[in-house]
Amino acid sequence: MTHYDLLVIGTGSGNSIVDERFSTQRVAIAESGLFGGTCLNVGCIPTKMFVHTADLAVAAGESERFGITTRFESADWPAIRDRIFNRIDPIESDGRDYRTNRLPNVTVHPEHVRFTGPKSFRTESGFDFTADRVVIAAGSRPNIPRIPGLDAERVDAPGYPVLTSDTVMRMEELPRSMTIVGGGVVAVEFAHVFSALGVEVTVLVRGSGLLTDTDETVSQRFTEAFAERHHVVLGSQIDTIELTESGVLIEVGASDRVPEAEVPAPFTSDVLLLATGRSPNIFGLGAEAAGIDTAHGRIAVDAYQRALSGGAPLPGVFALGDVSSPYQLKHVANHEADVVQANLLADIATGEIGTAREDQLRRTNHHAVPAAVFSDPQTATVGATEAELRDFGVDYTCKIQEYSDVAYGWALEDSTGFAKVLADRHSRRILGAHIVGHEASMIIQPLVQAMAFGLPADVMASGQYWIHPALPEVVENALLGLEFAD
């Protein structure tokens, strides 16, 4: 039976692990999809390229308030799509070729692989092999909700008008209308993209707001701002769908989450986009055959990214990214991949599988993890929400600073943006920060840095220059507005 020193399952962040330091190891890489994983192919990178295009379209159509005359006329969808994927697809292809043909110690299995035992595996085509050490970096997949009339097996298939984020960016033509199911990150980003490009978009949300996993002020004010630009139906869910010659006939009912929710009469949409989150790719992985623990639908790992079995580390088995992490974020997966790489090398250096001591291993750092939503408006967040601080009984101080109260906010004519900062009233440490508005993902970074290195809020505010009249002054003023115990 073929034996490898190391098996890596998945080529998202897991693909970065094997470098020249593994040249003496016989390595197998298993990838049933596209090299580069979710972020490169169907997630972060292409979506943000579409978002920037959408931002330009929105700006062109809203220029009159600045005293100039421009307009958005139409979108050349094939040109937009091809500009993006003509850049991304060669990266995927080159990454696959590099691993497949240019590394003599690496064997690529371009198919699904599952555990048959703690260190034994079988490919979809029936090839059996073993490996001493394993990295599970299998990523995640879109959730497919149960909807009467929906053929779950045909979702994302050519010709079937029900799509997920895996396929919607590669449509052959721009539809006239699109209905999006969901109120989270994927839903609001694609709603912004397609409505900006001229598609009639309807967003169906079961709950009472959008981005409800974020801070309460963010969710409330984002929902209000977003609903001014988009057709959002709160408290609604799809009762049934039916494919007709005109498109997808959708019957909507109340979700019972919003009292007296007004739901629309049955309507037809060219495309139905399912944007109801993503689930870790543990189905079909055979984790149970290896004795690997799962928790909350994910591979259970310890602080060193070691997969657990019966609550204890399974020697030589690591996991990272969406398949094991509570953070479905590329920057977190990259950090975890760095940790796994360091710990693999430490384990290999001992000469025996799973014998590296914990003082020889690197711990994962999940403190001050930021996230952003690239919609209109943009949002960014780091740390605790106000509700979490209330629930834990923390004595905190809060300041909400409006974009409209700083000079660059005037330049933007921004009446919705704000920065919200939460800090401990006694230690003065920043506990959370939440921003909605122009370039939120950029101006939150100083707050991430302050939290990461324990910089007190008052020292951060007064101990450095803030460029005037740059937009980060909204952060400065939020910090200056915090009220401390002494």
Side-chain angles (χ1 to χ4, degrees), residues 279-300:
S279 294
N281 275 326
I282 62 172
F283 179 76
L285 189 60
E288 64 283 352
I292 295 174
D293 297 342
T294 59
H296 308 292
R298 303 185 295 267
I299 300 293

Side-chain angles (χ1 to χ4, degrees), residues 193-471:
V193 167
F194 287 108
S195 64
L197 299 182
V199 178
E200 182 184 332
V201 173
T202 298
V203 183
L204 301 178
V205 185
R206 295 180 67 188
S208 59
L210 302 165
L211 304 182
T212 53
D213 289 338
T214 61
D215 181 86
E216 59 203 47
T217 311
V218 171
S219 177
Q220 176 188 344
R221 293 184 56 172
F222 177 87
T223 301
E224 293 171 356
F226 191 85
E228 289 182 0
R229 295 176 177 269
H230 306 84
H231 182 211
V232 178
V233 184
L234 300 176
S236 65
Q237 62 185 18
I238 296 181
D239 285 346
T240 64
I241 67 167
E242 180 184 349
L243 267 60
T244 69
E245 292 184 358
S246 302
V248 184
L249 177 62
I250 301 170
E251 291 194 17
V252 179
S255 67
D256 298 326
R257 296 188 181 186
V258 178
E260 301 180 359
E262 296 184 9
V263 298
F267 64 95
T268 299
S269 187
D270 289 344
V271 171
L272 177 62
L273 174 62
L274 305 177
T276 52
R278 299 181 67 88
S279 294
N281 275 326
I282 62 172
F283 179 76
L285 189 60
E288 64 283 352
I292 295 174
D293 297 342
T294 59
H296 308 292
R298 303 185 295 267
I299 300 293
V301 296
D302 66 6
Y304 306 96
Q305 297 300 132
R306 297 178 295 188
L308 301 179
S309 178
L314 188 59
V317 181
F318 299 82
L320 65 93
D322 288 1
V323 78
S324 61
S325 179
Y327 303 96
Q328 290 187 347
L329 299 166
K330 177 61 172 175
H331 43 279
V332 173
N334 285 345
H335 167 68
E336 292 174 353
D338 290 343
V339 170
V340 169
Q341 182 187 64
N343 293 343
L344 271 174
L345 291 168
D347 195 55
I348 291 169
T350 66
E352 296 290 335
I353 301 170
T355 58
R357 301 186 313 273
E358 290 189 354
D359 64 356
Q360 296 174 304
L361 300 177
R362 180 179 168 187
R363 295 175 66 94
T364 304
N365 176 12
H366 285 154
H367 173 61
V369 175
V373 180
F374 295 83
S375 185
D376 186 16
Q378 195 176 113
T379 78
T381 184
V382 62
T385 66
E386 188 168 6
E388 289 170 339
L389 296 181
R390 283 198 305 266
D391 290 346
F392 281 105
V394 176
D395 187 8
Y396 68 93
T397 175
C398 171
K399 172 63 178 177
I400 297 176
Q401 180 66 47
E402 305 294 333
Y403 272 39
S404 59
D405 289 337
V406 300
Y408 204 88
W410 306 349
L412 294 170
E413 292 287 333
D414 192 313
S415 60
T416 61
F418 68 92
K420 177 177 183 178
V421 180
L422 303 158
D424 188 292
R425 291 187 69 246
H426 302 277
S427 71
R428 308 186 180 209
R429 296 293 176 88
I430 300 168
L431 302 176
H434 313 278
I435 302 177
V436 173
H438 184 70
E439 299 295 3
S441 62
M442 290 190 182
I443 68 171
I444 201 170
Q445 192 62 44
L447 291 160
V448 177
Q449 184 174 350
M451 290 181 65
F453 296 104
L455 184 65
D458 56 338
V459 175
M460 179 186 178
S462 59
Q464 62 178 317
Y465 280 106
W466 296 82
I467 296 173
H468 176 76
L471 192 53

Side-chain angles (χ1 to χ4, degrees), residues 11 15 31-38 40-42 45 84-100 102 108 110 170:
T11 61
N15 193 45
E31 177 55 77
S32 59
L34 296 170
F35 260 62
T38 299
L40 174 66
N41 296 287
V42 296
I45 295 174
I84 293 166
F85 288 108
N86 285 346
R87 183 162 189 170
I88 287 172
D89 290 347
I91 298 173
E92 190 277 340
S93 178
D94 187 65
R96 181 182 298 274
D97 178 68
Y98 176 71
R99 290 300 191 196
T100 304
R102 289 182 257 168
V108 173
R170 293 183 183 262

Side-chain angles (χ1 to χ4, degrees), residues 80-140:
I80 294 170
R81 179 198 61 208
D82 293 348
R83 178 186 75 87
I84 293 166
F85 288 108
N86 285 346
R87 183 162 189 170
I88 287 172
D89 290 347
I91 298 173
E92 190 277 340
S93 178
D94 187 65
R96 181 182 298 274
D97 178 68
Y98 176 71
R99 290 300 191 196
T100 304
N101 300 314
R102 289 182 257 168
L103 295 175
N105 66 313
V106 174
T107 300
V108 173
H109 294 281
E111 55 184 325
H112 181 73
V113 167
R114 62 180 175 87
F115 283 88
T116 55
K119 297 294 177 68
S120 59
F121 308 87
R122 178 171 296 160
T123 69
E124 197 168 23
S125 61
F127 176 71
D128 293 307
F129 63 94
T130 57
D132 288 335
R133 295 178 176 86
V134 186
V135 176
I136 307 169
S140 61

Side-chain angles (χ1 to χ4, degrees), residues 51-73 192 196-197 229 376 412 438:
V51 164
H52 180 65
T53 302
D55 290 344
L56 295 175
V58 169
E62 298 183 351
S63 64
E64 287 188 3
R65 61 193 176 123
F66 296 100
I68 59 176
T69 303
T70 62
R71 62 182 179 272
F72 170 72
E73 294 184 345
H192 168 47
L197 299 182
R229 295 176 177 269
D376 186 16
L412 294 170
H438 184 70

